[in-house]
Amino acid sequence: MRRVLVANVDGISQVIEDGAPPRSKKALHTPGFSNTLAWSTAPHQTTDFDGTDPTVSAPTFVPAPGGTSMLVLTLPPMSVFQHPDFDPQAAAAEHATISPGITDLMEPDHPGMHTTPSIDYDVLLEGTLHLELTKGEVELHPGDMVIQHGTRHAWRNRSAQVAKLLVVFVGAAPAS
């Protein structure tokens, strides 16, 4: 994956960086799963670029209210989780490291189901995914977009191929 970072330096827009994002991880215990934190912003972010890459030190993928995180997720088929060699404890421990903040939101009694304190803009880039909700689910195809308002959900890849999903989290305050 290529990330092109552009910013104004001394009033001149220019390419600051062009290459692989530094925060990309492939899971060893969940074959086919990977994630890339492309960028994140703090609450009340300005357009000034201070020369640092916030993805390198971001302690969580879940932004504070007013902050953002942009992720690309590659999700393997569900058959990976059903394979006899799949170790759910090893996978969970690994995901806690490579997906900080997200795994803290997972429901222990319903694998994959979680609720993020955010408005999410999701775009399916490739493959087919099912978005499971508390009430029903929807099948998604490349180019489909989902806007979530802090909803309880899980991503299910019922196909035989990996699926790639672009997610932009906009941190939001919980509903009152």
Side-chain angles (χ1 to χ4, degrees):
M1 186 170 293
R2 175 183 179 201
R3 179 184 74 171
V4 179
L5 173 60
V6 296
N8 292 318
V9 177
D10 298 326
I12 300 169
S13 61
Q14 56 190 284
V15 174
I16 304 299
E17 181 183 313
D18 185 345
R23 191 110 178 236
S24 290
K25 302 289 183 180
K26 288 185 179 180
L28 299 174
H29 298 287
T30 309
F33 178 89
S34 67
N35 65 32
T36 299
L37 179 61
W39 200 253
S40 62
T41 62
H44 311 293
Q45 182 75 41
T46 69
T47 58
D48 292 332
F49 178 64
D50 68 3
T52 62
D53 183 340
T55 66
V56 176
S57 61
T60 179
F61 289 178
V62 180
T68 67
S69 293
M70 181 179 176
L71 291 169
V72 176
L73 301 172
T74 302
L75 303 168
M78 288 179 64
S79 60
V80 166
F81 304 99
Q82 298 160 347
H83 193 275
D85 293 338
F86 180 71
D87 182 346
Q89 288 78 24
E94 180 178 48
H95 282 271
T97 302
I98 68 173
S99 300
I102 302 292
T103 54
D104 298 339
L105 302 172
M106 294 292 173
E107 297 178 14
D109 58 340
H110 198 123
M113 193 64 84
H114 62 288
T115 306
T116 54
S118 56
I119 307 300
D120 303 348
Y121 305 138
D122 308 313
V123 181
L124 187 59
L125 302 174
E126 65 183 65
T128 301
L129 280 177
H130 288 81
L131 175 60
E132 181 182 333
L133 303 165
T134 304
K135 183 178 179 182
E137 69 177 43
V138 61
E139 183 175 294
L140 302 169
H141 301 277
D144 289 348
M145 297 177 279
V146 176
I147 294 89
Q148 296 193 67
H149 286 257
T151 54
R152 179 178 182 261
H153 68 283
W155 297 105
R156 307 290 185 209
N157 183 349
R158 300 189 197 314
S159 77
Q161 309 299 320
V162 297
K164 194 170 282 191
L165 183 69
L166 170 72
V167 179
V168 177
F169 296 106
V170 180
S176 54

